Each structure stands twice: as C-alpha cells, then as structure tokens.
Amino acid sequence: MKIAVCVKQVPDAAATKRIDPGTKRLDRSGEGSLNPVDANAVEEALRIRDASGEGEVVLVSLGPEKALDSLRKALAMGADRALLVSDPDAAGSDLVATSALLAKALEREGADLVLFGQQASDSDGAVLWAAVADRLRLPLISQAAELTVEGGAVTGKRQTEFGYDVIRAPLPAVVAVADSINEPRYPSLKGIMGAKKKQQDVLSLADLGIEPERAGTTGSRTEVLALSDPPPRGETRKLEDDGTGAEKIVEFLVEKRLV
Amino acid sequence: MSVVVFLEHHEGELQKGSLGILAKAGQLGGEVAGVVLGSGVEELAAGAGRYGASTVYVADDAKLEAPLPQPRVDVLAQLVEEKGIETVLFAQSILSADLAAGLAARLDAGLNWQLVDIATQDGAVVGKQSALGDSVLVDVGWTSTPRLALFRAGIADPVETGGTATVEKLDVTFQEHSLAAEMLEQAHEESSGPSIEDADFIVAGGRGLGAPEGFGMIEELAKALGGAVAATRAVVDAGWYPYSAQVGQTGKNVSPVLYVACGISGAIQHKVGMQGSKVIVAINKDPNAPIFEFADLGIVGDVQTIVPKLTELVRARKG
C-alpha cells in the first residue's frame, strides 16, 4: 500500500505572522514548521502502513527549498521519502494553481491513498483536498476523525454540524483527517539521525511538465488587492472582580437593554 | 451580473447561514438566484423566494440525498456553464467548503474564503477576507469568472422579502468518480433546548470551569437568560460537554445578541466561531487571557462565585 501525505511548511506558531505589504503575501522569511495537523496525517499514514505490514509513505509538498526542514521532521517520524515541488514561478499560487501542481505531483506517485491534514494554520484554508480530489478524479472523505482501510476501500467517520457521518470510498481515494484522529508520535533520536539520509527529491515546474503560466500568480484566479486594519470592536472594558463582578455585569446588560 | 447562492438544507429546512448569504448577495445589485440540491427538495426550494431569490434552480435526484460534495460539483459545474453564471456564493459549512473547492478545480475558477463581506467597487467585485486570526482585513478579488466565494458563517442574517421564486429544474448527469464515495451512516444528535446557532443568548464554558460539573451553573445561567449553552473545543475533547455545543474553528459559528464566555481564554480557534456576537461578556481569572482583548466587558475573577450570583441577579431582574 502506497500512501502519499500532502504536507505544508507554515510560519512557526511562536512567530508573529504578517503579510508583506509589498508582495501582499504572507511573509515566510522567518522560522518555519510543519503545519500542525499535517503531523496527524503523517501519523495516520504510518499507522496504516505499519498495520498492513508493507508499503510506503511519501510526503508531497509545495514550497520554497527551506520547506525541506519541515519535511525532515515528518521523515524523522517515519515517512519513507519526500517530494518537494519548488520553483520561483510557483510562488503566490492560489487554490486553483496549487491544486493543479499538487495533482501533477500526485499523479506521478500514483498512491493508493492520499492524506491531508484538515487545516492549514497560516491561511485558515480548509479546502485544498477537495480541489485536488476533483483534479485527480478520486473520491473524497474530509474531516475524518477515524479511519479504517480494508478490502480495497477506506472508511472514515467524521463529526459534522449535526452529528456524525460514516463515509466509505473505494481506493484510490483522497482523505483529509482532523487532528482528533490520533496523537502524532515524537521522532526518536534514531529517526532524526536517519531522516537526513532518506530520499528527498526537489522538482521544478519543468520537471513536472507544468507550464509556468499555469502556476504562481499567472496561474491563479484570485488576487489580493489591499490590506487594512480590521474594524475595531468598539470599547472594551476590563475590571478586576472586587466582589461586585456579577452586579457590574448586570448593570452592563441593563445598559445594553439585554435583560 | 448573475449571482447564485448555494442553499444548504437539513431535515427539510433551508439553513439560516445560506439564507443570510442570499440577503448579502442582494447588495451586489441585480437579481439573485438560489440553487437547492437534494432528493425530494422541490417544495423546500420554492421557499427561498421568501428570502429574496427570484429564481431557484433545483436538482432533485436520489443520488443527491446524502450531503456529499462531489455529485454536487457535477451539478453546479453544469449550471454555471449552461447559464453563464458569473458569481457563486457559499456559506461556510463542511459540505459547502468541499463543494466550493471541488467546483473551483473543475472550472478553474477563483475561490476566496473566510469572507466577511462582498461588494461592487468601481465595477469590480471585491471580497473582504478576515485573515491571520482577524488581525488583518484583506480586500480580495477575482481575475476571471466565474467567481466563487465562501463566507464565514453567521456574517449575515436572512431577510424576509415575502417574494416568490420561479423554480427551474435542472437535468443532472454525474461523473463516475463523483458517485464513488458512499454515505454508510448518518447520526444526528438530539439537542435539548434552543440550538446554539439560533439562540439570541449564549453562555459558553471552557477549561476554566475546572470540571465537567461546572457546566451545571452554565446551564442555570443560560436558562435564566433564555439562551443556549456552548462549549470550547478543549472541554468537548475532554468529554465535559457534547460536540454539538462546540463553538469555533472545528465546531459551529455563532452570532448571538449576547455571548457570555465563562472560563474561556479566547484562543483564536474559539474566537473565529463567536466573534460575530453583538455583545461579548467574559469572566476569567487570568487577567492576560486574550478574550479580554475583544470582550465588550471583561471581569477578571472566579467563575465559581460570579456565575451563580449573576444567575440569581438575572432571575431577580426578570422576576
């Protein structure tokens, strides 16, 4: 069983994120780390591989070359090899362009199962897998909080706004996992040492046979026009409770005509 | 300009979130159409006329019964191409996000998400996107049509216009891969009391309650206010309260008149689900909790003493 896991390097959680006013893109110059939920997708892939007793876990990513640092963390967890699509012409790709690039890379791999982490911490995006699934013409399960792979099909259970769903799809399939699905393992020292020696391929757009016009801003269908400060919420008041906290709240609610 | 709003439905009712987007779409000028996809939904679809849709496109097919995105991508792609639709709007939900993204890939159409508003500026359609944990507001555009837009839940309330809609039935053909995923089971939690998405008053509890039993006083306060109980993801994950009450990034988005946050730090994952509330009151013992940065009134103190007293005072006030 071959499992591809799509992962992304995002600005480190500890860093203050900012949008570069010049390029109007997220400033990725600082410390990067593996998108947190992607570690859950890697963990799930490792569990499925290990339960079946054979197979391969391949990381697939798009980003600058320094994203290899984050891929190595996933290799240290136990993934077998990594494939990074990196090309200056791919910078600034939106959903349409990114999904086209990833789909090309995934087509080369021809995995039985393609996993995603449910949410990117930098763009608040929670949509990429559905676009990739459509391009690959594969069935999709999103938000999976439990997964079983059995008899040539994958079954996912997920929580929804109304309760839960159980969805089954024949392999090959695309699945996005929620972070409640598992607890990602910490890489062992041996894993960290071994990660450097694992196969890490960096592919350009030309390597994938993608025209530069299909990528980056020219391949995108959306644009950022301007940045501004969000409207203020109005006055905020913070009071220390001196024993009259509850009264203060009631006074406030009366003032707002809420009680 | 031709605008279509994807109208989501659940158990025979059009969802408030997507009806709100129908009202929002009216601001773009021109007529607004809705589209309803499902099985046995024709009558339901006509009801969208009351909320401002002049036309409602309907695809009624047994293959659309389960709320799965891929067969819906097929139908919307055909609709957009046949009618030359320029703009398709969605209200955030699990189904809508997957559907909008699948459609974007199918049509090579731009999709902007996390939108809080949309308007026409100098003849161009511009979306307002809240980004980086609401620290920045981004004006986003589309470089081609069709334009796809996914709105944050609860950004607009439905408006009853009392109109009627022309219902137009769509013929559908499905692609093989679109029907490959299959819904085996769907379970709906029975919730007691008002649903948090419809409630005007919400009292929410987090880790700061200390123990699952802390939700007892939260329920009492909610009852006194005539509202519903919500919870943070941390306490839902810990099993203190059911998932159906979870507010935030991986739960529901709510925009009540009053949101009382008790023992909630106000992490961004929670904030995105409740910042649309008209008035926010927070009680937390940590003076540095982020919730105090956006609560209209914040009390630094112990929820265990303040909440029961507040309940008593509200009850007394209401007689």
Side-chain angles (χ1 to χ4, degrees):
Chain A
M1 171 122 189
K2 182 170 176 179
I3 307 166
V5 187
C6 294
V7 299
K8 182 183 188 184
Q9 186 184 52
V10 297
D12 193 74
T16 306
K17 284 177 265 186
R18 65 183 277 272
I19 295 178
D20 184 316
T23 61
K24 300 198 181 76
R25 290 182 201 149
L26 185 65
D27 180 356
R28 296 184 188 277
S29 61
E31 190 75 10
S33 61
L34 187 67
N35 180 40
V37 194
D38 292 351
N40 297 90
V42 172
E43 176 65 37
E44 197 62 19
L46 298 176
R47 290 185 190 189
I48 294 167
R49 178 195 67 187
D50 296 345
S52 76
E54 46 89 41
E56 188 186 27
V57 173
V58 187
L59 308 168
V60 178
S61 188
L62 172 68
E65 282 216 26
K66 70 166 187 164
L68 282 173
D69 299 342
S70 297
L71 294 183
R72 276 186 213 109
K73 189 201 158 190
L75 289 172
M77 286 172 68
D80 298 292
R81 63 187 170 87
L83 189 164
L84 174 69
V85 180
S86 191
D87 195 307
D89 285 333
S93 293
D94 76 347
L95 174 71
V96 160
T98 302
S99 61
L101 300 185
L102 272 182
K104 272 280 185 197
L106 289 164
E107 266 166 23
R108 277 171 61 113
E109 292 296 335
D112 302 293
L113 182 63
V114 178
L115 294 184
F116 280 85
Q118 186 64 42
Q119 182 121 30
S121 69
D122 53 351
S123 63
D124 297 333
V127 290
L128 184 58
W129 42 89
V132 169
D134 194 76
R135 294 205 186 273
L136 295 173
R137 305 178 62 79
L138 293 180
L140 164 75
I141 303 175
S142 66
Q143 302 267 1
E146 280 174 37
L147 269 192
T148 46
V149 178
E150 211 170 41
V154 55
T155 304
K157 182 173 177 179
R158 68 175 185 184
Q159 284 183 316
T160 70
E161 293 93 343
F162 312 109
Y164 69 86
D165 293 343
V166 180
I167 302 168
R168 180 171 61 198
L171 296 176
V174 175
V175 177
V177 305
D179 60 357
S180 54
I181 195 166
N182 56 38
E183 201 57 57
R185 69 193 69 183
Y186 286 102
S188 64
L189 189 59
K190 190 166 152 247
I192 294 167
M193 299 308 285
K196 291 175 194 152
K197 296 193 204 90
K198 287 180 175 171
Q199 189 183 338
Q200 297 158 51
D201 298 315
V202 179
L203 298 183
S204 66
L205 294 178
D207 294 334
L208 284 175
I210 295 174
E211 305 288 321
E213 303 84 64
R214 291 275 291 159
T217 44
T218 52
S220 294
R221 298 287 176 269
T222 56
E223 59 183 343
V224 174
L225 302 169
L227 306 173
S228 57
D229 289 327
R233 255 207 77 89
E235 199 188 340
T236 60
R237 259 190 289 166
K238 185 166 84 173
L239 306 172
E240 199 73 41
D241 180 31
D242 56 2
T244 63
E247 284 85 354
K248 294 268 170 46
I249 294 173
V250 170
E251 277 167 33
F252 176 77
L253 296 180
V254 170
E255 182 191 314
K256 295 273 176 192
R257 298 174 185 276
L258 292 170
V259 287
Chain B
M1 150 147 20
S2 52
V3 181
V4 169
V5 179
F6 174 68
L7 299 174
E8 203 167 333
H9 55 88
H10 179 68
E11 289 180 346
E13 274 184 47
L14 293 172
Q15 295 297 286
K16 192 178 154 196
S18 47
L19 290 175
I21 299 306
L22 206 50
K24 178 58 72 184
Q27 295 173 8
L28 287 171
E31 296 202 330
V32 178
V35 58
V36 176
L37 312 179
S39 177
V41 291
E42 213 178 320
E43 199 176 321
L44 176 74
R50 280 198 293 124
Y51 296 94
S54 54
T55 304
V56 183
Y57 300 107
V58 182
D60 208 315
D61 193 295
K63 294 189 178 73
L64 293 168
E65 175 150 15
L68 290 172
Q70 291 176 299
R72 287 167 170 76
V73 172
D74 295 342
V75 181
L76 288 192
Q78 288 165 55
L79 172 67
V80 166
E81 285 179 339
E82 278 166 25
K83 306 282 177 192
I85 306 290
E86 291 171 307
T87 307
V88 189
L89 309 180
F90 301 84
Q92 172 67 40
S93 72
I94 292 173
L95 174 63
S96 287
D98 287 346
L99 170 55
L103 190 62
R106 183 75 60 87
L107 300 173
D108 259 329
L111 169 64
N112 282 308
W113 57 84
Q114 291 281 356
L115 298 189
V116 293
D117 206 352
I118 193 165
T120 311
Q121 284 174 12
D122 305 324
V125 178
V126 176
K128 301 275 182 192
Q129 179 186 55
S130 187
L132 298 187
D134 294 321
S135 61
V136 58
L137 195 62
V138 184
D139 282 6
V140 290
W142 289 262
T143 53
S144 64
T145 53
R147 310 170 192 96
L148 310 181
L150 184 58
F151 289 87
R152 209 177 246 182
I155 57 124
D157 289 325
V159 176
E160 282 216 44
T161 58
T164 52
T166 314
V167 173
E168 189 174 333
K169 290 197 82 171
L170 302 172
D171 288 326
V172 291
T173 50
F174 296 105
Q175 305 210 359
E176 201 187 332
H177 79 273
S178 299
L179 298 176
E182 179 193 4
M183 183 74 74
L184 296 185
E185 197 183 328
Q186 261 187 294
H188 299 143
E189 284 179 10
E190 293 299 321
S191 56
S192 54
S195 124
I196 57 171
E197 281 148 309
D198 295 327
D200 283 335
F201 296 85
I202 290 180
V203 185
R207 277 267 184 217
L209 295 179
E213 293 71 33
F215 270 95
M217 64 186 182
I218 298 298
E219 284 171 349
E220 287 300 311
L221 177 57
K223 205 153 80 184
L225 286 165
V229 174
T232 62
R233 173 170 172 176
V235 298
V236 170
D237 279 354
W240 294 8
Y241 218 70
Y243 175 76
S244 56
Q246 185 176 319
V247 163
Q249 208 154 43
T250 49
K252 290 182 172 123
N253 285 279
V254 297
S255 47
V257 177
L258 173 67
Y259 192 94
V260 186
C262 306
I264 292 176
S265 69
I268 182 64
Q269 291 81 356
H270 186 72
K271 185 184 172 192
V272 296
M274 47 67 80
Q275 64 198 342
S277 307
K278 309 269 178 311
V279 175
I280 298 170
V281 172
I283 307 164
N284 198 305
K285 66 173 185 296
D286 174 9
N288 298 316
I291 190 111
F292 292 126
E293 288 162 27
F294 56 95
D296 299 280
L297 177 66
I299 302 288
V300 182
D302 184 7
V303 287
Q304 310 291 349
T305 55
I306 297 172
V307 173
K309 197 161 166 205
L310 180 57
T311 306
E312 223 173 88
L313 292 170
V314 169
R315 273 197 197 123
R317 171 109 203 140
K318 290 196 161 184

